[in-house]
Amino acid sequence: VSRKVSDSTVRRLSHYLRILEHLEAGDAGTVSSEDLAGQAGTTAAQVRKDLSHFGSFGKRGLGYAVPDLADHVREILGLGRPWRVALLGAGRIGSALFEYADFRRRGFHIVSVLDADPAKVGTTWEGVTLRHPDEMERVVRDDGVEVLILAVPGEAAQALVERAVAAGVRGVLNFAPVQLRVPPGVAVQDVDMVMELEALAFELTHAGGDVP
Amino acid sequence: VSRKVSDSTVRRLSHYLRILEHLEAGDAGTVSSEDLAGQAGTTAAQVRKDLSHFGSFGKRGLGYAVPDLADHVREILGLGRPWRVALLGAGRIGSALFEYADFRRRGFHIVSVLDADPAKVGTTWEGVTLRHPDEMERVVRDDGVEVLILAVPGEAAQALVERAVAAGVRGVLNFAPVQLRVPPGVAVQDVDMVMELEALAFELTHAGGDVP
């Protein structure tokens, strides 16, 4: 199924989940695919198609039971369980990510932090003792790390990711401005903030419509 | 043209630019569409198609002159000029973004910082005096702000964006976990780090291929 489900479907499922949790908080009992679509900025047919990849939900004419559908979407997205995450890079971006409450709320627990700065190694952040990247293999194994958040400069990234993957990491959230090479079966999501600004600059530059 | 050029084309142009600048730094004179494609993880036909939206570059059999093509791609992306940026939200994420050197290197200059915390208003970050969001209109006008980086909690975001847009902002890089509503002609790029982790969790959960 993984191959047949596009990135944009997964993105929409994340949107649906946010809407469903908002409805849950407001004690809504049911929601129609039309309402869900309206709030997600898509069509009811798209909502039904996205969900149909993963089984049969809702009853025609009755809509979806909100808490049930929220549970289903959480399960589909792999959020029915906690994930053990290591943060590599304890600089500005890294420390902001470490304190980012929405990660933990969603079940992503940063259980390890690694940084090469000798002044940081051995210090403790909310009970997590910072370790040197030389200890990558031991950290991944001892802490049961499944996902790596990469917040180090570009040059250092590839070699450290290779060691993390060899030690058992299966997913990487990459903030380094490099294209990582990973073996099949390892998932990478890139967050390139400069690229997002470039996309804005493109849109603003070509907003008139007459290019070049 | 804007309508005909897809988000993924713009994303690839950003990739090409990184590769071209790397080649420039290494004093490479020319590059073929095959080489560029190989490094960008796409096909030569795709490279030629992406560039053909914006005119005619390169000579058949001779490839592209690296510095010329880099200049062209910078122009296409709207990076041939600096952009004046306001940062809204001087918390953890905001301060990390303020210090993010790659923004300035790319021509995105954070000229204003706004935060509602009275302890922060009036303090100075590298010569930029922090202002209260109540002053949004004046800041946008006086500082000539074109782009807003939004790093405030979700609830506050929409109303502040509306004021910024009314005052002249045309693009928003949104780190708040909300779907912003903006008038036509205003560009929004969302950076939702939780959603990126959800996409990873999805991939790792369905890696086996047999779902649900």
Side-chain angles (χ1 to χ4, degrees):
Chain A
V1 156
S2 183
R3 298 237 179 123
K4 286 190 283 179
V5 176
S6 70
D7 290 351
S8 47
T9 298
V10 176
R11 188 57 55 126
R12 281 193 301 272
L13 288 168
S14 283
H15 273 300
Y16 301 156
L17 180 56
R18 277 156 183 64
I19 295 163
L20 289 166
E21 291 181 338
H22 193 75
L23 292 169
E24 259 185 317
D27 276 332
T30 58
V31 64
S32 65
S33 41
E34 285 75 16
D35 282 351
L36 197 49
Q39 291 192 51
T42 183
T43 64
Q46 184 70 62
V47 168
R48 287 190 292 262
K49 181 164 177 246
D50 288 337
L51 294 173
S52 72
H53 290 292
F54 306 96
S56 171
F57 305 106
K59 285 195 177 156
R60 188 167 288 274
L62 292 176
Y64 305 102
V66 169
D68 285 0
L69 187 59
D71 278 344
H72 276 304
V73 176
R74 273 188 288 263
E75 286 292 335
I76 290 169
L77 286 170
L79 305 172
R81 46 157 288 193
W83 291 90
R84 296 179 70 81
V85 179
L87 171 66
L88 177 58
R92 278 265 170 188
I93 298 275
S95 66
L97 296 172
F98 183 81
E99 303 223 341
Y100 197 54
D102 288 345
F103 284 166
R104 192 162 314 175
R105 211 171 286 143
R106 199 34 114 206
F108 299 100
H109 299 277
I110 298 180
V111 294
S112 328
V113 181
L114 301 109
D115 197 286
D117 181 352
K120 286 178 181 159
V121 173
T123 62
T124 298
W125 285 4
E126 297 179 19
V128 176
T129 302
L130 274 68
R131 314 274 290 274
H132 194 280
D134 282 351
E135 294 192 79
M136 177 66 82
E137 290 77 7
R138 192 178 317 173
V139 168
V140 169
R141 196 181 54 227
D142 292 356
D143 295 344
V145 172
E146 302 162 295
V147 170
L148 186 70
I149 296 179
L150 195 68
V152 291
E155 319 82 62
Q158 178 66 34
L160 287 166
V161 165
E162 285 174 15
R163 289 176 53 192
V165 165
V169 162
R170 297 160 57 214
V172 181
L173 183 65
N174 177 32
F175 287 84
V178 292
Q179 261 189 302
L180 296 173
R181 297 176 302 281
V182 295
V186 175
V188 175
Q189 290 284 331
D190 295 303
V191 183
D192 189 323
M193 297 178 290
V194 175
M195 242 179 227
E196 303 291 344
L197 277 177
E198 290 174 5
L200 271 187
F202 177 87
E203 283 196 60
L204 299 182
T205 302
H206 300 287
D210 39 24
V211 181
Chain B
V1 157
S2 182
R3 297 238 180 123
K4 287 191 283 179
V5 176
S6 71
D7 291 350
S8 47
T9 298
V10 177
R11 187 58 55 125
R12 280 193 301 272
L13 289 168
S14 283
H15 273 299
Y16 302 155
L17 180 55
R18 278 157 183 63
I19 295 163
L20 289 166
E21 291 181 338
H22 193 75
L23 292 169
E24 258 185 319
D27 276 332
T30 59
V31 64
S32 64
S33 42
E34 285 75 16
D35 282 350
L36 197 49
Q39 290 191 52
T42 184
T43 64
Q46 184 71 63
V47 168
R48 288 189 292 262
K49 182 163 177 247
D50 289 337
L51 295 174
S52 72
H53 291 292
F54 307 96
S56 171
F57 305 104
K59 286 195 177 155
R60 188 166 289 274
L62 291 177
Y64 305 101
V66 169
D68 286 359
L69 187 58
D71 278 344
H72 277 303
V73 176
R74 272 189 287 264
E75 286 293 335
I76 290 170
L77 286 171
L79 305 173
R81 47 157 287 194
W83 291 89
R84 297 178 70 80
V85 179
L87 171 66
L88 177 57
R92 279 264 170 189
I93 298 274
S95 66
L97 295 173
F98 183 81
E99 304 224 341
Y100 197 55
D102 288 345
F103 285 165
R104 192 162 313 175
R105 209 170 289 144
R106 197 36 114 205
F108 299 99
H109 299 277
I110 298 180
V111 294
S112 329
V113 180
L114 301 109
D115 196 287
D117 181 353
K120 286 178 182 158
V121 173
T123 62
T124 298
W125 285 4
E126 297 177 22
V128 177
T129 302
L130 274 67
R131 315 274 289 274
H132 193 279
D134 282 351
E135 295 191 79
M136 177 66 81
E137 289 77 7
R138 192 178 318 173
V139 168
V140 170
R141 196 183 53 228
D142 293 355
D143 295 344
V145 173
E146 302 162 294
V147 170
L148 186 69
I149 295 180
L150 194 68
V152 291
E155 318 83 61
Q158 179 65 34
L160 288 166
V161 165
E162 286 173 16
R163 288 176 53 193
V165 166
V169 163
R170 297 159 59 214
V172 181
L173 182 65
N174 176 33
F175 286 85
V178 292
Q179 261 188 302
L180 296 173
R181 296 176 302 280
V182 295
V186 175
V188 175
Q189 289 284 331
D190 295 303
V191 182
D192 189 323
M193 297 179 289
V194 175
M195 243 180 226
E196 303 291 344
L197 277 177
E198 289 174 5
L200 271 187
F202 176 87
E203 282 196 59
L204 298 182
T205 302
H206 300 288
D210 39 24
V211 182

